[in-house]
Amino acid sequence: MSPTEALISHQLDISAAGLSLILLGAYLDLPFFKKFIVLEGKQLNGSYIKKFNDIYIVLFCFLFVTFARTFLMDIIFVPLIKSRGVKNQIKINKFKEQAFMVCFYVVSWSVGFYLAYHSPYWLDSSQFWIGYPHLEISPGIKRFYLFQIGYWLQQMVYVQIEVRRKDYLNMIVHHIITNMLMVISYYCNFTRMGHIILTLMDFSDIFLSLAKTLNYLKFPILCDATFILFVLSWVPSRHIGFMALVWSIMVDPFKYNPDSIWDPANGVFYTETFRVLILTLLLSLQVLMLVWFKMILIILFRIIKGENLKDDRSSGDESSEDEKKEK
């Protein structure tokens, strides 16, 4: 067994050991280990600013996601799918991946929506720019953002070991862009916009992953109904809402904060070059989403015609394995 294979097969053990060590060290009040769980940068008014040691929180979140993913998939979801009579290992692997995604997106979207609803920029994109740079953020937003960075870094690793799909290259590009946007928006004090984009993205993914899990659990009617809900949520969140934020980046800075310059010492990171970079990354994401939307419409038409739901992104291995079983 190669070192890489050993790491993959012992994800639960390694992540559990790492988390236990950190929590024990923090419990013993050891300063180094407390960096992994205690937010730094608290201000007198209770808000927080970003600090270099935030990277320790990100690493803790990376470990936590690895542990939670592996525990839920192997201890909870594998027995669940096997109880439905599914024996195909590829289907089992796909089910446990999607079941975890349902759990993650439900929690992520719920927390993100709650924080957004109680924020000053709820349904008001002008607040992305008025008063920029927004150096201080609430403890909830800071934890949410650092957790998201840890999650998306973990996704970059996990996409290499999960069931390979036809759109593997698209997923890699998506994860690279997402990680770039997460880190840039946090470091450059654009967490307000990043928070709303994350919340928009997570909503439709709940229904997509849920539809897939229902498909593997052999609930075809519920699966099709959930997929239709996914389509209905995808367009307003991934194309209308997302592009409204892109439009805000294109026009609003000139109205609300026209004098922003490149001044890192004071937390200002906005110039025309920077704006073009962010727009390029966001529009690249939109192109990827349009490619996926085409695939979504193909699946939707199959459902309308009464055909079984099939993920066009899946590799050909699953069907091959099914054919072998039938023979």
Side-chain angles (χ1 to χ4, degrees), residues 72-308:
L72 289 173
M73 290 198 308
D74 294 344
I75 307 301
I76 306 297
F77 298 137
V78 169
L80 175 59
I81 188 67
K82 287 184 176 180
S83 71
R84 295 290 297 172
V86 177
K87 298 180 180 179
N88 184 297
Q89 190 58 48
I90 294 177
K91 286 186 176 181
I92 291 173
N93 290 340
K94 289 183 177 180
F95 168 78
K96 68 181 185 179
E97 290 167 8
Q98 295 303 320
F100 171 77
M101 299 307 287
V102 172
C103 296
F104 172 78
Y105 286 125
V106 166
V107 173
S108 177
W109 179 81
S110 299
V111 173
F113 179 83
Y114 174 85
L115 292 172
Y117 183 76
H118 291 89
S119 73
Y121 46 92
W122 171 249
L123 298 180
D124 185 2
S125 62
S126 68
Q127 295 301 315
F128 297 154
W129 313 104
I130 296 174
Y132 175 81
H134 305 109
L135 302 176
E136 298 182 3
I137 55 178
S138 70
I141 294 293
K142 182 164 184 174
R143 286 194 181 277
F144 174 78
Y145 225 82
L146 294 177
F147 180 83
Q148 289 284 351
I149 294 174
Y151 169 78
W152 283 105
L153 288 174
Q154 204 272 349
Q155 278 289 91
M156 278 293 296
V157 175
Y158 197 79
V159 75
Q160 307 298 329
I161 62 177
E162 69 177 347
V163 178
R164 189 63 58 90
R165 305 187 187 280
K166 292 179 181 178
D167 68 342
Y168 167 77
L169 181 59
N170 288 3
M171 291 298 294
I172 286 293
V173 173
H174 173 272
H175 291 348
I176 291 174
I177 293 174
T178 301
N179 276 287
M180 289 177 64
L181 286 169
M182 289 293 300
V183 173
I184 291 172
S185 61
Y186 185 74
Y187 183 77
C188 297
N189 302 309
F190 285 102
T191 52
R192 292 186 171 191
M193 184 175 297
H195 173 203
I196 295 300
I197 291 176
L198 285 168
T199 304
L200 281 173
M201 294 288 199
D202 286 347
F203 184 62
S204 60
D205 279 334
I206 296 173
F207 299 106
L208 176 60
S209 293
L210 181 59
K212 291 180 180 180
T213 58
L214 290 170
N215 184 38
Y216 293 124
L217 288 171
K218 303 177 182 178
F219 294 113
I221 296 177
L222 284 175
C223 169
D224 291 349
T226 305
F227 187 80
I228 292 172
L229 288 176
F230 159 68
V231 177
L232 293 175
S233 65
W234 174 279
V235 175
S237 62
R238 294 298 187 98
H239 299 300
I240 299 175
F242 184 86
M243 289 307 295
L245 289 174
V246 171
W247 179 254
S248 175
I249 297 175
M250 295 176 67
V251 301
D252 286 349
F254 305 105
K255 293 192 296 184
Y256 301 110
N257 203 355
D259 298 326
S260 291
I261 58 174
W262 188 263
D263 185 11
N266 292 307
V268 179
F269 296 85
Y270 196 83
T271 63
E272 183 62 19
T273 301
F274 183 82
R275 187 173 76 98
V276 170
L277 170 63
I278 296 300
L279 284 173
T280 300
L281 291 173
L282 290 175
L283 290 173
S284 297
L285 276 183
Q286 183 62 208
V287 170
L288 286 175
M289 289 189 288
L290 287 170
V291 172
W292 281 321
F293 187 53
K294 177 185 176 182
M295 299 166 66
I296 290 167
L297 291 177
I298 292 173
I299 297 173
L300 181 62
F301 291 145
R302 287 176 181 164
I303 293 175
I304 293 173
K305 291 192 297 183
E307 299 177 10
N308 292 330

Side-chain angles (χ1 to χ4, degrees), residues 305-319:
K305 291 192 297 183
E307 299 177 10
N308 292 330
L309 177 63
K310 179 180 180 298
D311 185 358
D312 267 17
R313 300 184 307 148
S314 301
S315 65
D317 298 338
E318 182 179 322
S319 57

